[in-house]
Amino acid sequence: MRAARPGGWRRELVEFALILLVAFALVFGIVRPAVAAPFRIPSVSMVPTLEVGDHLIVNKFVYDFRKPKRGEIVVFDVPWQSDPLIKRVVGLPGDSIELRQGKLFVNGKPQKEPYVVNQPCVPARPKTCSYGPVTVPSGDFFAMGDNRAKSEDSRYIGPVPEKNIEGEAILRFWPLGRVGTP
């Protein structure tokens, strides 16, 4: 049994508060900007994969070690917009991207996209039924929303420069009933 020191509980309380303060500073001053950040889904462009109001954790350092892969959901900056966008990478540098009757073709091959369940081809909406072919420039990626008819993506804003990609969406933490990987 440990002997009680006079004023010992106060010292332990101060030490605990100091540890909490340092941890808070590290997490929100270093870890959050460099490693992970929360992101809230603002629009219907990724429905049904991600719903409006879903909250995600974005891995901000993964692309310091490797390039984005086809199929990953990424958050990226658009210079003329204040808020970042979130879309799925469908084209890598050098890929040929084309839509035919709403179906995505990469390098001439039709893609299996089970996450695109809403009607991707809406004749009254430009670039939903047919688009391209376009070649993704070196150093850029082609990103599209899963809700193709309601997504402002690379079809409209152009390819995404690698330097603009903030990170990969890795975990949905809210709402609790939808916790998991996106």
Side-chain angles (χ1 to χ4, degrees):
M1 186 167 164
R2 203 167 115 185
R5 294 181 300 201
W9 66 270
R10 287 186 187 141
R11 181 174 183 198
E12 287 179 8
L13 183 62
V14 169
E15 285 177 14
F16 179 73
L18 185 59
I19 289 169
L20 274 179
L21 184 63
V22 169
F24 185 81
L26 285 172
V27 167
F28 290 99
I30 297 171
V31 173
R32 180 174 177 226
V35 176
F39 184 83
R40 182 182 176 279
I41 302 302
S43 73
V44 298
S45 72
M46 289 296 292
V47 169
T49 306
L50 300 169
E51 300 283 345
V52 174
D54 282 359
H55 292 260
L56 309 171
I57 295 293
V58 175
N59 180 340
K60 294 187 77 171
F61 75 96
V62 64
Y63 300 132
D64 290 341
F65 302 101
R66 66 170 180 82
K67 306 264 187 220
K69 296 176 184 173
R70 189 181 336 277
E72 291 179 339
I73 298 174
V74 297
V75 173
F76 59 92
D77 288 320
V78 178
W80 57 88
Q81 290 187 234
S82 58
D83 294 324
L85 298 179
I86 185 163
K87 308 291 179 200
R88 187 178 301 273
V89 173
V90 298
L92 307 176
D95 282 347
S96 173
I97 304 296
E98 184 176 8
L99 286 177
R100 297 182 211 152
Q101 298 175 344
K103 178 84 176 146
L104 177 65
F105 287 77
V106 177
N107 300 322
K109 297 177 182 165
Q111 300 299 293
K112 291 180 179 146
E113 298 183 293
Y115 40 81
V116 178
V117 297
N118 294 330
Q119 183 179 2
C121 176
V122 178
R125 177 103 164 110
K127 302 181 183 181
T128 62
C129 296
S130 65
Y131 176 81
V134 297
T135 300
V136 182
S138 177
D140 290 354
F141 294 83
F142 204 88
M144 295 175 71
D146 291 356
N147 189 357
R148 298 284 162 79
K150 296 186 178 177
S151 179
E152 298 292 325
D153 50 40
S154 288
R155 294 170 291 171
Y156 303 95
I157 65 171
V160 180
E162 183 176 3
K163 66 181 170 94
N164 290 12
I165 298 176
E166 290 185 16
E168 177 189 7
I170 59 170
L171 177 70
R172 177 181 23 246
F173 65 90
W174 189 262
L176 292 177
R178 291 176 42 86
V179 169
T181 56

